């Protein structure tokens, strides 16, 4: 995705007993609907609850309630042998961790280092730790961090960071690379991996080739080596995306040293591995191969015949970019068989590498505003093509969605313009392809016995109310002293409200009683960390009487 300097870049209700068995921690939740009656459930170890109903000027209902209890049975702890530990390597189409367990990258792009802010965007509104925590709570397990070579210059000063009210205090006085260090360290604590993306040679614009007159190939490679050296021994950084979106006149397999991106990727990849042989090397496609054009960086048709060959085996992951009409029109969108034609399109450009077990494929960017029906159908088809985690596990395409940022001009982001609110519709499209987080590198989040306590609270907020129904967001916070591996939230309605859909959790409803259980990707919650889910519901007729 092309990016520019900021702003925008493209692209009767009761509290049931809290339960714990087999490592599941449950939180009771009070909901702000009319007719609520609050009662303490018999046998609850300790519970405190408040509930209220308010009517705002906009006509929506908003309230929060929390209930917490100390778990009294079971043994808290983190799951054994969680995939993702250590450095990774490839085997056929799979990415494997240090123990040989398959892993799936299911992440998000957080841009800004490549712009004239020289730091991720949004720090003018929020603390970076809160945003990384939110990414984890939504089920993203990897962050792709675009940067430009400007961040290596001694005179580069990051800007547009809010240090008031305790925000980002540990970033004061740091340069861009030092801030990147902080983001990497905190992401690792949270169990998120990081892919560094050389997005631009400088902050002004993308480049078709990996070099320009001002930033020659030697500078590109020297800076890649510097990053690889900087993060040697830190397995949070799993690899480097060598150059973003090569496009015409870049070629693949043509043999011209000045324009053959495949040969340049081999030179740069080998330079990186010479100082950090543990990293994965992510190699994007080009625009045109043998006269067939596609998205910038999205054409890997030549990789089968002309593979990237590195001195360290099992390190290459091919990367494709794919977009919808909010970015640009393509002929396949007007095909009369659309969207049924799309799997064939993706097979041709990059999917064959995965289907034929040649190499892993990571869709490093894909995104849309979802404004058009075409884009909605495209995203539904692409998510299906990438393979649901519940069916295929890590034997799937990896991905990082574009973008976390709301200030991507032709896609928008997972966050809305306030840099706080989640676009639950857009995020919901991705629910089936999200994957579990990886083992964290921080302290104080491990489980085990020795008197540790598993506990959680649930906080509820109505996000929209249209009279006959409403949407709500629920945040689960680990308030105990040990990490959780799973959780449940339970509540009962006074009337015949009915859940219609739920995202980032599964649910059962019997009469007025509802139980929401974590999804595969957000059951693990570190001490003090959060997970979240949302749902839509239909209201009983009594609530609409005036």
């Amino acid at each position: 995705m092309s990016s520019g300097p900021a702003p925008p870049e493209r692209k009767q209700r009761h509290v049931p007993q809290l339960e714990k068995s087999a490592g599941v921690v449950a939180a009771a939740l009070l909901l702000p609907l009319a007719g609520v009656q609050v009662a303490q459930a018999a046998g609850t170890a300790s519970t405190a609850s408040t509930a209220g109903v308010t009517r705002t000027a906009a006509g929506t209902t908003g309230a929060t309630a929390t209930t917490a209890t100390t778990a009294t049975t079971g043994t808290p702890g983190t799951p054994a042998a969680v995939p993702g530990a250590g450095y990774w390597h490839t085997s056929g189409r799979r990415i494997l961790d240090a123990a040989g367990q398959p892993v799936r990258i299911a992440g998000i792009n957080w841009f800004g280092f490549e712009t004239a802010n020289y730091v991720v965007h949004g720090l003018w509104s929020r603390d970076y730790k809160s945003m990384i925590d939110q990414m984890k709570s939504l089920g993203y397990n990897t962050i792709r961090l675009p940067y430009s070579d400007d961040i290596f210059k001694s005179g580069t000063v990051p800007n547009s960071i809010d240090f008031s009210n305790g925000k980002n205090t540990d970033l004061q006085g740091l340069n861009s690379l030092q801030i990147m260090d902080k983001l990497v360290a905190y992401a690792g604590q949270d169990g998120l991996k990081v892919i560094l993306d050389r997005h631009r040679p400088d902050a002004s614009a993308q480049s078709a080739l990996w070099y320009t007159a001002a930033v020659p190939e030697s500078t590109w490679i020297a800076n890649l080596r510097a990053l690889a050296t900087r993060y040697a021994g830190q397995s949070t950084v799993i690899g480097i995306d060598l150059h973003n979106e090569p496009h015409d006149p870049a070629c693949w397999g043509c043999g011209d040293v000045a324009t053959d991106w495949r040969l340049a990727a081999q030179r740069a990849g080998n330079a990186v591995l010479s100082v950090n042989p543990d990293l994965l090397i992510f190699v994007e496609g080009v625009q045109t191969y043998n006269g067939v054009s596609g998205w910038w960086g999205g054409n890997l048709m030549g990789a089968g015949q002309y593979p990237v060959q590195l001195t360290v085996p099992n390190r290459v992951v091919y990367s494709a970019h794919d977009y919808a009409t909010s970015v640009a029109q393509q002929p396949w969108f007007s095909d009369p068989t659309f969207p049924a034609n799309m799997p064939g399109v993706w097979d041709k450009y990059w999917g064959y590498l995965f289907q034929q077990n040649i190499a892993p494929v990571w869709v490093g960017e894909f995104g849309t505003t979802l404004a058009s029906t075409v884009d909605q159908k495209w995203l539904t088809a692409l998510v299906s093509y990438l393979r649901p985690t519940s069916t295929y596990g890590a034997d799937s395409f990896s991905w990082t969605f574009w973008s976390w940022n709301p200030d991507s001009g032709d896609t928008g982001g997972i966050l809305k313009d306030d840099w706080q609110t989640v676009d639950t519709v857009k995020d919901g499209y991705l629910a089936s392809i999200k994957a579990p987080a990886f083992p964290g590198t921080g302290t104080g989040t491990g489980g085990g016995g020795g008197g540790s306590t598993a506990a959680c609270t649930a906080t509820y907020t109505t996000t929209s109310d249209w009279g006959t129904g409403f949407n709500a967001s629920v945040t689960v916070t680990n308030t105990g002293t040990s990490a959780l591996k799973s959780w449940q939230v339970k509540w009962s309605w006074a009337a015949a409200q009915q859940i219609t859909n739920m995202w980032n959790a599964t649910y059962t409803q019997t009469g007025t009683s509802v139980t929401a259980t974590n999804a595969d990707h957000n059951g693990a919650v570190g001490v003090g960390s959060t997970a979240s889910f949302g749902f839509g519901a239909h209201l009983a007729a009594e609530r609409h009487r005036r």
Side-chain angles (χ1 to χ4, degrees), residues 354-433:
F354 177 88
Q355 308 291 1
Q356 298 176 26
N357 200 35
I358 295 172
V361 176
W362 165 57
V363 183
E365 291 185 18
F366 63 107
T368 169
T369 61
L370 288 177
S372 72
T373 301
V374 169
D375 285 28
Q376 294 162 18
K377 291 179 178 179
W378 164 84
L379 186 54
T380 299
L382 180 56
V383 164
S384 176
Y385 184 82
L386 297 180
R387 302 169 66 123
T389 302
S390 62
T391 304
Y392 296 98
D395 186 22
S396 307
F397 293 93
S398 286
W399 56 273
T400 45
F401 188 75
W402 187 277
S403 60
W404 180 249
N405 309 46
D407 57 334
S408 176
D410 46 13
T411 65
I414 291 298
L415 292 185
K416 295 188 177 182
D417 289 343
D418 63 1
W419 281 94
Q420 295 273 357
T421 306
V422 175
D423 185 331
T424 55
V425 173
K426 188 176 290 187
D427 181 64
Y429 272 87
L430 307 174
S432 66
I433 57 173

Side-chain angles (χ1 to χ4, degrees), residues 163-512:
F163 299 113
S164 67
N165 300 314
K167 291 193 292 289
N168 302 303
T169 54
D170 57 339
L171 305 185
Q172 284 188 282
L174 303 185
N175 63 32
S176 297
L177 287 169
Q178 291 167 335
I179 291 176
M180 185 179 284
D181 294 343
K182 292 284 189 179
L183 269 62
V184 166
Y186 194 78
Q189 280 189 42
D190 262 5
L192 276 64
K193 297 294 188 179
V194 173
I195 299 170
L196 304 176
D197 156 46
R198 196 279 193 141
H199 207 74
R200 296 171 167 180
D202 57 56
S204 63
Q206 286 184 220
S207 60
L209 300 173
W210 54 96
Y211 62 91
T212 64
V215 184
E217 178 175 309
S218 58
T219 299
W220 171 56
I221 289 179
N223 290 339
L224 289 171
R225 284 171 55 95
L227 277 182
T229 301
R230 187 179 194 93
Y231 294 111
Q234 298 184 52
S235 60
T236 296
V237 176
I238 56 171
I240 301 178
D241 187 344
L242 297 177
H243 179 61
N244 184 66
E245 295 184 348
H247 52 278
D248 296 346
C251 62
W252 190 290
C254 66
D256 184 342
V257 175
T259 57
D260 192 331
W261 166 235
R262 174 234 181 197
L263 295 179
Q266 290 183 166
R267 295 192 295 273
N270 285 330
V272 166
L273 295 173
S274 71
V275 295
N276 190 341
D278 295 313
L279 292 177
L280 295 175
I281 303 299
F282 296 92
V283 182
E284 298 185 30
V286 292
Q287 178 183 0
T288 304
Y289 179 76
N290 282 351
V292 179
S293 293
W295 294 108
W296 290 3
N299 190 334
L300 285 158
M301 294 171 63
Q305 182 177 358
Y306 302 104
V308 172
Q309 298 175 314
L310 302 176
T311 54
V312 180
N314 304 317
R315 292 294 182 269
V316 175
V317 178
Y318 291 109
S319 176
H321 290 187
D322 203 87
Y323 281 99
T325 62
S326 67
V327 173
Q329 287 288 341
Q330 294 284 6
W332 42 83
F333 295 128
S334 57
D335 188 299
T337 64
F338 176 85
N341 63 316
M342 291 310 300
V345 172
W346 294 319
D347 281 347
K348 179 177 73 173
Y349 281 102
W350 43 267
Y352 76 94
L353 294 165
F354 177 88
Q355 308 291 1
Q356 298 176 26
N357 200 35
I358 295 172
V361 176
W362 165 57
V363 183
E365 291 185 18
F366 63 107
T368 169
T369 61
L370 288 177
S372 72
T373 301
V374 169
D375 285 28
Q376 294 162 18
K377 291 179 178 179
W378 164 84
L379 186 54
T380 299
L382 180 56
V383 164
S384 176
Y385 184 82
L386 297 180
R387 302 169 66 123
T389 302
S390 62
T391 304
Y392 296 98
D395 186 22
S396 307
F397 293 93
S398 286
W399 56 273
T400 45
F401 188 75
W402 187 277
S403 60
W404 180 249
N405 309 46
D407 57 334
S408 176
D410 46 13
T411 65
I414 291 298
L415 292 185
K416 295 188 177 182
D417 289 343
D418 63 1
W419 281 94
Q420 295 273 357
T421 306
V422 175
D423 185 331
T424 55
V425 173
K426 188 176 290 187
D427 181 64
Y429 272 87
L430 307 174
S432 66
I433 57 173
K434 290 178 181 177
F438 307 114
T441 60
T443 58
T445 59
S452 60
T453 300
C456 61
T457 63
T459 302
Y460 169 100
T461 303
T462 300
T463 56
S464 60
D465 184 342
W466 53 93
T468 59
F470 67 100
N471 285 333
S473 176
V474 180
T475 299
V476 178
T477 302
N478 181 353
T479 56
T481 60
S482 64
L484 308 180
K485 65 179 181 182
S486 55
W487 48 261
Q488 288 183 333
V489 178
K490 300 183 177 183
W491 68 92
S492 295
W493 275 314
Q497 289 91 346
Q498 181 68 42
I499 299 284
T500 55
N501 64 314
M502 185 174 287
W503 48 94
N504 293 321
T506 59
Y507 74 95
T508 58
Q509 181 170 354
T510 304
T512 60

